[in-house]
Amino acid sequence: MKKLALLVYPAFSLQEVMNLSSLFLWHYEIATEVLSTSLDPVKSEEGIVVLPQVTTDQFRTSDYQCLILPGCSDFTELCRDQKLLSFLQGFQGNSDFPIGAICGGPMLLARAGLLRGRPFTASIYQEYFDICPFLEREHFVAAPAVVSPPIVTAGGGNFNGFAVEMARLLGLPCRDRIFAGYMDQCTPEDYLPHLPPEALEEMTEMLGNW
């Protein structure tokens, strides 16, 4: 099965990338593999602990469709993490391997020099442009998402749009809106799903043996 690499670090935002992960698995059969600077457990900002499956030292672009950077509660420590920055700096000059970063994730790309001269967006306070020399105010775009191949950046609230833009960057067909709507907009029939005939036959055979 094809894979995407989800780079995780302390206090990363899990919820910002879960719709992307779900879209890629169920629509394109691209599974998520968790990547970090070590195999030690990493706790998300929601308090959920994940176990990395591969380290940045083992990472090879040929094994993945893309690299995804979630946001994080505190980017200041991450911007001083030399192992993490060294890994990202390895993508300088990259012109074809897709990278996506959402919310505070673009801060890490900028710190590693990957956004130099490139339009981008992020969920960052505008005052940071005055105190972070690696951020280029003239290239910041006030928009939900910015596509500057091979990089997609997005604001943290645009997690659905982020997933759509990443899919399209990879050349995958994707409608404009995914996972849209709330449960209070459903009809009673929406709570009564039916198996398609081929799945019904398979499940009947499987469960009938129980």
Side-chain angles (χ1 to χ4, degrees):
M1 178 177 284
K2 296 178 288 186
K3 299 179 293 185
L4 67 83
L6 173 63
L7 182 62
V8 300
Y9 20 74
F12 76 98
S13 177
L14 187 62
Q15 67 92 15
E16 290 173 351
V17 293
M18 284 298 92
N19 280 7
L20 182 150
S21 181
S22 180
L23 174 74
F24 273 53
L25 177 63
W26 298 113
H27 288 256
Y28 313 117
E29 297 185 338
I30 299 176
T32 297
E33 190 162 270
V34 180
L35 169 72
S36 192
T37 53
S38 77
L39 294 180
D40 295 335
V42 180
K43 182 181 288 188
S44 75
E45 65 180 14
E46 298 89 355
I48 298 172
V49 177
V50 300
L51 293 176
Q53 297 158 276
V54 65
T55 69
T56 50
D57 290 334
Q58 299 167 324
F59 179 87
R60 300 291 181 271
T61 56
S62 57
D63 295 332
Y64 300 92
Q65 301 293 305
C66 61
L67 173 68
I68 301 297
L69 280 70
C72 50
S73 294
D74 182 6
F75 71 88
T76 57
E77 289 299 317
L78 299 180
C79 283
R80 290 193 287 265
D81 186 330
Q82 290 304 311
K83 189 168 186 178
L84 178 62
L85 293 177
S86 178
F87 168 69
L88 293 174
Q89 286 165 351
F91 290 94
Q92 289 184 2
N94 165 51
S95 61
D96 54 10
F97 185 73
I99 298 175
I102 185 170
C103 194
M107 291 286 288
L108 298 178
L109 296 185
R111 183 72 176 88
L114 302 186
L115 298 183
R116 192 172 296 122
R118 181 186 298 276
F120 73 98
T121 193
S123 295
I124 53 176
Y125 295 110
Q126 292 301 291
E127 289 75 15
Y128 287 166
F129 288 103
D130 299 321
I131 57 179
C132 298
F134 55 86
L135 288 176
E136 298 178 336
R137 186 191 299 271
E138 66 272 23
H139 292 118
F140 179 80
V141 181
V146 173
V147 181
S148 179
I151 295 176
V152 171
T153 53
N158 190 33
F159 43 86
N160 278 346
F162 178 54
V164 170
E165 297 296 354
M166 280 305 303
R168 290 175 174 173
L169 183 65
L170 269 63
L172 303 170
C174 189
R175 62 183 187 271
D176 291 336
R177 295 176 62 85
I178 59 170
F179 305 115
Y182 296 90
M183 298 309 293
D184 58 4
Q185 296 174 337
C186 294
T187 66
E189 287 74 22
D190 292 320
Y191 296 96
L192 302 170
H194 295 277
L195 284 169
E198 62 275 12
L200 176 60
E201 182 178 349
E202 179 181 352
M203 293 301 294
T204 300
E205 181 178 352
M206 180 189 305
L207 299 180
N209 294 327
W210 289 10

PDB file of all heavy atoms in Angstrom, residues 1-5 19-33 63-68 166-167 170-172:
ATOM      1  N   MET A   1       0.843  -1.198   0.000  1.00  0.00           N
ATOM      2  CA  MET A   1       0.000   0.000   0.000  1.00  0.00           C
ATOM      3  C   MET A   1       0.881   1.251   0.000  1.00  0.00           C
ATOM      4  O   MET A   1       1.909   1.300   0.670  1.00  0.00           O
ATOM      5  CB  MET A   1      -0.922   0.003   1.224  1.00  0.00           C
ATOM      6  CG  MET A   1      -1.813   1.241   1.327  1.00  0.00           C
ATOM      7  SD  MET A   1      -2.965   1.191   2.725  1.00  0.00           S
ATOM      8  CE  MET A   1      -4.185   0.033   2.107  1.00  0.00           C
ATOM      9  N   LYS A   2       0.477   2.260  -0.748  1.00  0.00           N
ATOM     10  CA  LYS A   2       1.211   3.523  -0.780  1.00  0.00           C
ATOM     11  C   LYS A   2       1.089   4.226   0.570  1.00  0.00           C
ATOM     12  O   LYS A   2       0.144   4.005   1.316  1.00  0.00           O
ATOM     13  CB  LYS A   2       0.664   4.415  -1.898  1.00  0.00           C
ATOM     14  CG  LYS A   2       0.876   3.842  -3.298  1.00  0.00           C
ATOM     15  CD  LYS A   2       0.284   4.742  -4.363  1.00  0.00           C
ATOM     16  CE  LYS A   2      -1.237   4.688  -4.326  1.00  0.00           C
ATOM     17  NZ  LYS A   2      -1.839   5.448  -5.449  1.00  0.00           N
ATOM     18  N   LYS A   3       2.055   5.103   0.868  1.00  0.00           N
ATOM     19  CA  LYS A   3       2.101   5.716   2.193  1.00  0.00           C
ATOM     20  C   LYS A   3       2.365   7.213   2.101  1.00  0.00           C
ATOM     21  O   LYS A   3       3.002   7.697   1.164  1.00  0.00           O
ATOM     22  CB  LYS A   3       3.219   5.083   3.027  1.00  0.00           C
ATOM     23  CG  LYS A   3       3.085   3.594   3.271  1.00  0.00           C
ATOM     24  CD  LYS A   3       4.248   3.075   4.081  1.00  0.00           C
ATOM     25  CE  LYS A   3       5.548   3.144   3.310  1.00  0.00           C
ATOM     26  NZ  LYS A   3       6.670   2.529   4.077  1.00  0.00           N
ATOM     27  N   LEU A   4       1.871   7.935   3.110  1.00  0.00           N
ATOM     28  CA  LEU A   4       2.291   9.315   3.338  1.00  0.00           C
ATOM     29  C   LEU A   4       2.980   9.349   4.691  1.00  0.00           C
ATOM     30  O   LEU A   4       2.691   8.544   5.571  1.00  0.00           O
ATOM     31  CB  LEU A   4       1.113  10.291   3.288  1.00  0.00           C
ATOM     32  CG  LEU A   4       0.023  10.248   4.375  1.00  0.00           C
ATOM     33  CD1 LEU A   4       0.433  11.034   5.622  1.00  0.00           C
ATOM     34  CD2 LEU A   4      -1.281  10.812   3.841  1.00  0.00           C
ATOM     35  N   ALA A   5       3.925  10.260   4.849  1.00  0.00           N
ATOM     36  CA  ALA A   5       4.658  10.375   6.105  1.00  0.00           C
ATOM     37  C   ALA A   5       4.118  11.543   6.910  1.00  0.00           C
ATOM     38  O   ALA A   5       4.088  12.684   6.433  1.00  0.00           O
ATOM     39  CB  ALA A   5       6.145  10.572   5.825  1.00  0.00           C
ATOM     40  N   ASN A  19      -8.415  14.386   9.111  1.00  0.00           N
ATOM     41  CA  ASN A  19      -9.268  14.306   7.926  1.00  0.00           C
ATOM     42  C   ASN A  19      -8.440  14.032   6.679  1.00  0.00           C
ATOM     43  O   ASN A  19      -8.873  13.303   5.780  1.00  0.00           O
ATOM     44  CB  ASN A  19     -10.075  15.597   7.760  1.00  0.00           C
ATOM     45  CG  ASN A  19     -11.289  15.620   8.675  1.00  0.00           C
ATOM     46  OD1 ASN A  19     -11.459  14.748   9.510  1.00  0.00           O
ATOM     47  ND2 ASN A  19     -12.138  16.623   8.518  1.00  0.00           N
ATOM     48  N   LEU A  20      -7.267  14.609   6.614  1.00  0.00           N
ATOM     49  CA  LEU A  20      -6.372  14.320   5.491  1.00  0.00           C
ATOM     50  C   LEU A  20      -6.005  12.838   5.489  1.00  0.00           C
ATOM     51  O   LEU A  20      -6.062  12.169   4.452  1.00  0.00           O
ATOM     52  CB  LEU A  20      -5.112  15.187   5.585  1.00  0.00           C
ATOM     53  CG  LEU A  20      -4.081  15.055   4.458  1.00  0.00           C
ATOM     54  CD1 LEU A  20      -3.335  16.372   4.254  1.00  0.00           C
ATOM     55  CD2 LEU A  20      -3.067  13.944   4.727  1.00  0.00           C
ATOM     56  N   SER A  21      -5.635  12.321   6.643  1.00  0.00           N
ATOM     57  CA  SER A  21      -5.265  10.912   6.755  1.00  0.00           C
ATOM     58  C   SER A  21      -6.412  10.007   6.341  1.00  0.00           C
ATOM     59  O   SER A  21      -6.225   9.020   5.614  1.00  0.00           O
ATOM     60  CB  SER A  21      -4.837  10.605   8.196  1.00  0.00           C
ATOM     61  OG  SER A  21      -4.443   9.266   8.333  1.00  0.00           O
ATOM     62  N   SER A  22      -7.620  10.342   6.788  1.00  0.00           N
ATOM     63  CA  SER A  22      -8.796   9.544   6.444  1.00  0.00           C
ATOM     64  C   SER A  22      -9.101   9.612   4.952  1.00  0.00           C
ATOM     65  O   SER A  22      -9.367   8.594   4.301  1.00  0.00           O
ATOM     66  CB  SER A  22     -10.003  10.029   7.246  1.00  0.00           C
ATOM     67  OG  SER A  22     -11.150   9.277   6.941  1.00  0.00           O
ATOM     68  N   LEU A  23      -9.060  10.814   4.388  1.00  0.00           N
ATOM     69  CA  LEU A  23      -9.311  10.988   2.950  1.00  0.00           C
ATOM     70  C   LEU A  23      -8.337  10.157   2.127  1.00  0.00           C
ATOM     71  O   LEU A  23      -8.734   9.442   1.198  1.00  0.00           O
ATOM     72  CB  LEU A  23      -9.179  12.462   2.573  1.00  0.00           C
ATOM     73  CG  LEU A  23      -9.279  12.775   1.074  1.00  0.00           C
ATOM     74  CD1 LEU A  23     -10.723  12.657   0.598  1.00  0.00           C
ATOM     75  CD2 LEU A  23      -8.735  14.175   0.774  1.00  0.00           C
ATOM     76  N   PHE A  24      -7.064  10.235   2.463  1.00  0.00           N
ATOM     77  CA  PHE A  24      -6.051   9.538   1.673  1.00  0.00           C
ATOM     78  C   PHE A  24      -6.182   8.020   1.783  1.00  0.00           C
ATOM     79  O   PHE A  24      -5.959   7.305   0.811  1.00  0.00           O
ATOM     80  CB  PHE A  24      -4.653   9.989   2.097  1.00  0.00           C
ATOM     81  CG  PHE A  24      -4.172  11.215   1.381  1.00  0.00           C
ATOM     82  CD1 PHE A  24      -4.941  12.367   1.353  1.00  0.00           C
ATOM     83  CD2 PHE A  24      -2.965  11.222   0.714  1.00  0.00           C
ATOM     84  CE1 PHE A  24      -4.518  13.503   0.685  1.00  0.00           C
ATOM     85  CE2 PHE A  24      -2.522  12.349   0.030  1.00  0.00           C
ATOM     86  CZ  PHE A  24      -3.299  13.498   0.011  1.00  0.00           C
ATOM     87  N   LEU A  25      -6.556   7.529   2.972  1.00  0.00           N
ATOM     88  CA  LEU A  25      -6.696   6.085   3.119  1.00  0.00           C
ATOM     89  C   LEU A  25      -7.906   5.548   2.376  1.00  0.00           C
ATOM     90  O   LEU A  25      -7.800   4.608   1.584  1.00  0.00           O
ATOM     91  CB  LEU A  25      -6.793   5.714   4.608  1.00  0.00           C
ATOM     92  CG  LEU A  25      -7.015   4.225   4.880  1.00  0.00           C
ATOM     93  CD1 LEU A  25      -5.840   3.399   4.385  1.00  0.00           C
ATOM     94  CD2 LEU A  25      -7.250   3.978   6.356  1.00  0.00           C
ATOM     95  N   TRP A  26      -9.075   6.151   2.614  1.00  0.00           N
ATOM     96  CA  TRP A  26     -10.313   5.567   2.109  1.00  0.00           C
ATOM     97  C   TRP A  26     -10.610   5.921   0.656  1.00  0.00           C
ATOM     98  O   TRP A  26     -11.334   5.189  -0.018  1.00  0.00           O
ATOM     99  CB  TRP A  26     -11.484   5.981   2.999  1.00  0.00           C
ATOM    100  CG  TRP A  26     -11.315   5.477   4.392  1.00  0.00           C
ATOM    101  CD1 TRP A  26     -11.099   6.209   5.517  1.00  0.00           C
ATOM    102  CD2 TRP A  26     -11.302   4.104   4.812  1.00  0.00           C
ATOM    103  NE1 TRP A  26     -10.954   5.393   6.612  1.00  0.00           N
ATOM    104  CE2 TRP A  26     -11.074   4.087   6.209  1.00  0.00           C
ATOM    105  CE3 TRP A  26     -11.444   2.895   4.139  1.00  0.00           C
ATOM    106  CZ2 TRP A  26     -11.004   2.905   6.944  1.00  0.00           C
ATOM    107  CZ3 TRP A  26     -11.380   1.714   4.867  1.00  0.00           C
ATOM    108  CH2 TRP A  26     -11.162   1.735   6.250  1.00  0.00           C
ATOM    109  N   HIS A  27     -10.043   7.009   0.160  1.00  0.00           N
ATOM    110  CA  HIS A  27     -10.297   7.382  -1.229  1.00  0.00           C
ATOM    111  C   HIS A  27      -9.159   6.995  -2.169  1.00  0.00           C
ATOM    112  O   HIS A  27      -9.397   6.756  -3.353  1.00  0.00           O
ATOM    113  CB  HIS A  27     -10.554   8.893  -1.330  1.00  0.00           C
ATOM    114  CG  HIS A  27     -11.877   9.307  -0.773  1.00  0.00           C
ATOM    115  ND1 HIS A  27     -12.961   9.629  -1.573  1.00  0.00           N
ATOM    116  CD2 HIS A  27     -12.313   9.436   0.499  1.00  0.00           C
ATOM    117  CE1 HIS A  27     -13.992   9.944  -0.819  1.00  0.00           C
ATOM    118  NE2 HIS A  27     -13.629   9.838   0.447  1.00  0.00           N
ATOM    119  N   TYR A  28      -7.925   6.939  -1.637  1.00  0.00           N
ATOM    120  CA  TYR A  28      -6.780   6.713  -2.531  1.00  0.00           C
ATOM    121  C   TYR A  28      -5.891   5.556  -2.086  1.00  0.00           C
ATOM    122  O   TYR A  28      -4.874   5.293  -2.721  1.00  0.00           O
ATOM    123  CB  TYR A  28      -5.925   7.988  -2.621  1.00  0.00           C
ATOM    124  CG  TYR A  28      -6.732   9.232  -2.858  1.00  0.00           C
ATOM    125  CD1 TYR A  28      -6.751  10.264  -1.918  1.00  0.00           C
ATOM    126  CD2 TYR A  28      -7.505   9.392  -4.013  1.00  0.00           C
ATOM    127  CE1 TYR A  28      -7.499  11.416  -2.129  1.00  0.00           C
ATOM    128  CE2 TYR A  28      -8.258  10.533  -4.226  1.00  0.00           C
ATOM    129  CZ  TYR A  28      -8.252  11.539  -3.271  1.00  0.00           C
ATOM    130  OH  TYR A  28      -9.000  12.676  -3.475  1.00  0.00           O
ATOM    131  N   GLU A  29      -6.273   4.873  -1.012  1.00  0.00           N
ATOM    132  CA  GLU A  29      -5.495   3.748  -0.478  1.00  0.00           C
ATOM    133  C   GLU A  29      -4.052   4.152  -0.185  1.00  0.00           C
ATOM    134  O   GLU A  29      -3.111   3.409  -0.458  1.00  0.00           O
ATOM    135  CB  GLU A  29      -5.556   2.550  -1.430  1.00  0.00           C
ATOM    136  CG  GLU A  29      -6.950   1.985  -1.607  1.00  0.00           C
ATOM    137  CD  GLU A  29      -6.983   0.728  -2.444  1.00  0.00           C
ATOM    138  OE1 GLU A  29      -6.032   0.517  -3.232  1.00  0.00           O
ATOM    139  OE2 GLU A  29      -7.937  -0.054  -2.302  1.00  0.00           O
ATOM    140  N   ILE A  30      -3.898   5.336   0.386  1.00  0.00           N
ATOM    141  CA  ILE A  30      -2.595   5.826   0.829  1.00  0.00           C
ATOM    142  C   ILE A  30      -2.640   5.891   2.356  1.00  0.00           C
ATOM    143  O   ILE A  30      -3.367   6.700   2.929  1.00  0.00           O
ATOM    144  CB  ILE A  30      -2.270   7.204   0.231  1.00  0.00           C
ATOM    145  CG1 ILE A  30      -2.218   7.123  -1.293  1.00  0.00           C
ATOM    146  CG2 ILE A  30      -0.951   7.739   0.793  1.00  0.00           C
ATOM    147  CD1 ILE A  30      -2.002   8.468  -1.972  1.00  0.00           C
ATOM    148  N   ALA A  31      -1.898   5.026   3.011  1.00  0.00           N
ATOM    149  CA  ALA A  31      -1.926   4.931   4.466  1.00  0.00           C
ATOM    150  C   ALA A  31      -0.947   5.920   5.087  1.00  0.00           C
ATOM    151  O   ALA A  31       0.031   6.333   4.473  1.00  0.00           O
ATOM    152  CB  ALA A  31      -1.580   3.510   4.901  1.00  0.00           C
ATOM    153  N   THR A  32      -1.229   6.286   6.323  1.00  0.00           N
ATOM    154  CA  THR A  32      -0.363   7.200   7.077  1.00  0.00           C
ATOM    155  C   THR A  32       0.668   6.414   7.868  1.00  0.00           C
ATOM    156  O   THR A  32       0.335   5.459   8.572  1.00  0.00           O
ATOM    157  CB  THR A  32      -1.188   8.062   8.044  1.00  0.00           C
ATOM    158  OG1 THR A  32      -2.077   8.886   7.300  1.00  0.00           O
ATOM    159  CG2 THR A  32      -0.279   8.958   8.882  1.00  0.00           C
ATOM    160  N   GLU A  33       1.923   6.816   7.752  1.00  0.00           N
ATOM    161  CA  GLU A  33       2.994   6.255   8.578  1.00  0.00           C
ATOM    162  C   GLU A  33       3.565   7.393   9.426  1.00  0.00           C
ATOM    163  O   GLU A  33       3.854   8.472   8.911  1.00  0.00           O
ATOM    164  CB  GLU A  33       4.079   5.624   7.718  1.00  0.00           C
ATOM    165  CG  GLU A  33       5.092   4.819   8.529  1.00  0.00           C
ATOM    166  CD  GLU A  33       5.878   3.848   7.656  1.00  0.00           C
ATOM    167  OE1 GLU A  33       5.425   2.694   7.485  1.00  0.00           O
ATOM    168  OE2 GLU A  33       6.934   4.245   7.143  1.00  0.00           O
ATOM    169  N   ASP A  63       9.949   6.125  -0.600  1.00  0.00           N
ATOM    170  CA  ASP A  63       9.002   5.252   0.104  1.00  0.00           C
ATOM    171  C   ASP A  63       7.641   5.902   0.327  1.00  0.00           C
ATOM    172  O   ASP A  63       6.715   5.239   0.794  1.00  0.00           O
ATOM    173  CB  ASP A  63       9.565   4.858   1.481  1.00  0.00           C
ATOM    174  CG  ASP A  63      10.817   3.999   1.369  1.00  0.00           C
ATOM    175  OD1 ASP A  63      10.966   3.290   0.358  1.00  0.00           O
ATOM    176  OD2 ASP A  63      11.647   4.038   2.304  1.00  0.00           O
ATOM    177  N   TYR A  64       7.505   7.192   0.010  1.00  0.00           N
ATOM    178  CA  TYR A  64       6.299   7.937   0.379  1.00  0.00           C
ATOM    179  C   TYR A  64       5.764   8.799  -0.764  1.00  0.00           C
ATOM    180  O   TYR A  64       6.505   9.174  -1.674  1.00  0.00           O
ATOM    181  CB  TYR A  64       6.596   8.834   1.593  1.00  0.00           C
ATOM    182  CG  TYR A  64       7.049   8.057   2.799  1.00  0.00           C
ATOM    183  CD1 TYR A  64       8.411   7.845   3.026  1.00  0.00           C
ATOM    184  CD2 TYR A  64       6.132   7.504   3.683  1.00  0.00           C
ATOM    185  CE1 TYR A  64       8.844   7.106   4.115  1.00  0.00           C
ATOM    186  CE2 TYR A  64       6.556   6.766   4.778  1.00  0.00           C
ATOM    187  CZ  TYR A  64       7.914   6.565   4.989  1.00  0.00           C
ATOM    188  OH  TYR A  64       8.332   5.823   6.061  1.00  0.00           O
ATOM    189  N   GLN A  65       4.480   9.112  -0.658  1.00  0.00           N
ATOM    190  CA  GLN A  65       3.830   9.992  -1.612  1.00  0.00           C
ATOM    191  C   GLN A  65       4.054  11.461  -1.264  1.00  0.00           C
ATOM    192  O   GLN A  65       4.099  12.313  -2.130  1.00  0.00           O
ATOM    193  CB  GLN A  65       2.321   9.717  -1.640  1.00  0.00           C
ATOM    194  CG  GLN A  65       1.958   8.290  -2.010  1.00  0.00           C
ATOM    195  CD  GLN A  65       2.319   7.958  -3.439  1.00  0.00           C
ATOM    196  OE1 GLN A  65       1.905   8.655  -4.351  1.00  0.00           O
ATOM    197  NE2 GLN A  65       3.093   6.910  -3.624  1.00  0.00           N
ATOM    198  N   CYS A  66       4.176  11.750   0.042  1.00  0.00           N
ATOM    199  CA  CYS A  66       4.325  13.132   0.491  1.00  0.00           C
ATOM    200  C   CYS A  66       4.721  13.157   1.956  1.00  0.00           C
ATOM    201  O   CYS A  66       4.689  12.129   2.642  1.00  0.00           O
ATOM    202  CB  CYS A  66       3.033  13.923   0.277  1.00  0.00           C
ATOM    203  SG  CYS A  66       1.599  13.267   1.182  1.00  0.00           S
ATOM    204  N   LEU A  67       5.079  14.349   2.433  1.00  0.00           N
ATOM    205  CA  LEU A  67       5.403  14.584   3.832  1.00  0.00           C
ATOM    206  C   LEU A  67       4.427  15.611   4.377  1.00  0.00           C
ATOM    207  O   LEU A  67       4.198  16.648   3.749  1.00  0.00           O
ATOM    208  CB  LEU A  67       6.839  15.103   3.962  1.00  0.00           C
ATOM    209  CG  LEU A  67       7.287  15.570   5.355  1.00  0.00           C
ATOM    210  CD1 LEU A  67       7.377  14.375   6.302  1.00  0.00           C
ATOM    211  CD2 LEU A  67       8.634  16.292   5.270  1.00  0.00           C
ATOM    212  N   ILE A  68       3.867  15.339   5.566  1.00  0.00           N
ATOM    213  CA  ILE A  68       2.879  16.235   6.170  1.00  0.00           C
ATOM    214  C   ILE A  68       3.375  16.721   7.522  1.00  0.00           C
ATOM    215  O   ILE A  68       3.794  15.925   8.364  1.00  0.00           O
ATOM    216  CB  ILE A  68       1.520  15.514   6.356  1.00  0.00           C
ATOM    217  CG1 ILE A  68       0.978  15.013   4.999  1.00  0.00           C
ATOM    218  CG2 ILE A  68       0.519  16.443   7.041  1.00  0.00           C
ATOM    219  CD1 ILE A  68       0.671  16.100   4.009  1.00  0.00           C
ATOM    220  N   MET A 166      -3.751  19.042  -0.896  1.00  0.00           N
ATOM    221  CA  MET A 166      -2.685  18.043  -0.947  1.00  0.00           C
ATOM    222  C   MET A 166      -3.026  16.934  -1.925  1.00  0.00           C
ATOM    223  O   MET A 166      -2.163  16.472  -2.684  1.00  0.00           O
ATOM    224  CB  MET A 166      -2.457  17.452   0.447  1.00  0.00           C
ATOM    225  CG  MET A 166      -1.616  18.316   1.376  1.00  0.00           C
ATOM    226  SD  MET A 166       0.008  18.795   0.710  1.00  0.00           S
ATOM    227  CE  MET A 166       0.753  17.204   0.342  1.00  0.00           C
ATOM    228  N   ALA A 167      -4.277  16.505  -1.924  1.00  0.00           N
ATOM    229  CA  ALA A 167      -4.686  15.466  -2.864  1.00  0.00           C
ATOM    230  C   ALA A 167      -4.487  15.942  -4.301  1.00  0.00           C
ATOM    231  O   ALA A 167      -3.949  15.217  -5.151  1.00  0.00           O
ATOM    232  CB  ALA A 167      -6.144  15.084  -2.623  1.00  0.00           C
ATOM    233  N   LEU A 170      -0.974  16.025  -5.558  1.00  0.00           N
ATOM    234  CA  LEU A 170      -0.498  14.696  -5.937  1.00  0.00           C
ATOM    235  C   LEU A 170      -1.164  14.177  -7.212  1.00  0.00           C
ATOM    236  O   LEU A 170      -0.920  13.051  -7.635  1.00  0.00           O
ATOM    237  CB  LEU A 170      -0.742  13.696  -4.804  1.00  0.00           C
ATOM    238  CG  LEU A 170       0.389  13.530  -3.786  1.00  0.00           C
ATOM    239  CD1 LEU A 170       0.649  14.819  -3.036  1.00  0.00           C
ATOM    240  CD2 LEU A 170       0.088  12.402  -2.817  1.00  0.00           C
ATOM    241  N   GLY A 171      -2.023  15.009  -7.806  1.00  0.00           N
ATOM    242  CA  GLY A 171      -2.693  14.595  -9.033  1.00  0.00           C
ATOM    243  C   GLY A 171      -3.874  13.683  -8.806  1.00  0.00           C
ATOM    244  O   GLY A 171      -4.323  13.001  -9.739  1.00  0.00           O
ATOM    245  N   LEU A 172      -4.409  13.681  -7.579  1.00  0.00           N
ATOM    246  CA  LEU A 172      -5.542  12.821  -7.252  1.00  0.00           C
ATOM    247  C   LEU A 172      -6.844  13.596  -7.407  1.00  0.00           C
ATOM    248  O   LEU A 172      -6.930  14.748  -6.984  1.00  0.00           O
ATOM    249  CB  LEU A 172      -5.413  12.318  -5.819  1.00  0.00           C
ATOM    250  CG  LEU A 172      -4.113  11.566  -5.501  1.00  0.00           C
ATOM    251  CD1 LEU A 172      -3.997  11.327  -4.003  1.00  0.00           C
ATOM    252  CD2 LEU A 172      -4.075  10.243  -6.263  1.00  0.00           C
TER     253      LEU A 172
END
